[in-house]
Amino acid sequence: MTHPCRPPSPAWILNQKSAGEGIPHRFKAVENRSNGKDNAHAWGGKVEAGLRLGSASFFAEPLVSLAYSRTSLDDFTVGPNSFDYDRFTGLRGKAGLRIGGNTTVGGNAVAFYVGGAAVHEFKGKDGLVFTSGTQVLDLRGRRLGTYGQATAGANITMSSGVSGFIEGHAEFGGPYRGAGGRAGLRIAF
């Protein structure tokens, strides 16, 4: 049962459909799906190898990796609209170098690193054909090719048991650009 002031979630609607119970009138379009069984499957894997060279206070680490992923979604129809999904596949290789070190600052252990890599998409295919009445929209993703990736970060561990990290990354090459970051804090108690 959903809350009377909030509309039901799509998962609740589909569960009600499969259970044979009534669907609220405003969600009747969900009943027009082409089959009663909606499936989505995704799987992938990544193999990575590296060799750490240097000492406890400074290191250089060449890295290589190969990653594959595949996702498939069932096609479906809602009223006069249909969604025809391709399988989404990708094969990506990466080669790069990470350098960094460990030091002590004010009695706290600090590990730092910077890295750079060349990333190449050997395979990347995806698409969607959206049909609404007589209108057809064919959307295709394109393989990114080769681009660069840069990373920088630090981990800090205090003698009091508090630790944290911060990391920033950027991707660049041709029309492809992106950046992001992450941070975390751990407090032992």
Side-chain angles (χ1 to χ4, degrees):
M1 180 76 181
T2 62
H3 189 276
C5 295
R6 282 183 277 164
S9 72
W12 182 85
I13 294 167
L14 291 176
N15 285 338
Q16 297 307 309
K17 178 183 168 212
S18 64
E21 297 179 19
I23 296 176
H25 178 69
R26 66 183 182 265
F27 297 104
K28 285 287 187 190
V30 174
E31 289 182 297
N32 295 329
R33 289 186 174 258
S34 58
N35 62 26
K37 184 173 131 180
D38 302 313
N39 288 309
H41 302 281
W43 64 274
K46 181 177 181 179
V47 176
E48 186 173 80
L51 178 64
R52 193 174 182 120
L53 307 168
S55 65
S57 62
F58 182 78
F59 69 88
E61 186 175 31
L63 299 165
V64 295
S65 68
L66 189 63
Y68 178 80
S69 65
R70 178 178 173 174
T71 302
S72 62
L73 303 168
D74 279 355
D75 303 339
F76 67 93
T77 301
V78 178
N81 306 310
S82 68
F83 298 84
D84 179 3
Y85 292 98
D86 282 349
R87 284 191 176 120
F88 304 100
T89 59
L91 178 64
R92 181 179 298 173
K94 183 178 358 180
L97 178 68
R98 187 169 74 149
I99 59 173
N102 296 299
T103 189
T104 302
V105 177
N108 303 313
V110 178
F112 55 91
Y113 59 92
V114 296
V119 182
H120 182 75
E121 277 204 34
F122 297 101
K123 182 178 185 178
K125 179 184 174 195
D126 55 27
L128 165 68
V129 178
F130 172 66
T131 305
S132 180
T134 60
Q135 300 294 316
V136 177
L137 179 60
D138 191 355
L139 303 169
R140 299 283 166 206
R142 65 181 177 100
R143 187 173 53 87
L144 292 175
T146 302
Y147 60 94
Q149 189 176 67
T151 307
N155 300 315
I156 302 169
T157 303
M158 304 172 109
S159 57
S160 63
V162 176
S163 62
F165 71 91
I166 187 166
E167 181 182 80
H169 65 88
E171 290 81 24
F172 47 88
Y176 180 63
R177 300 207 187 294
R182 60 189 190 117
L185 182 66
R186 180 176 160 248
I187 302 172
F189 56 93

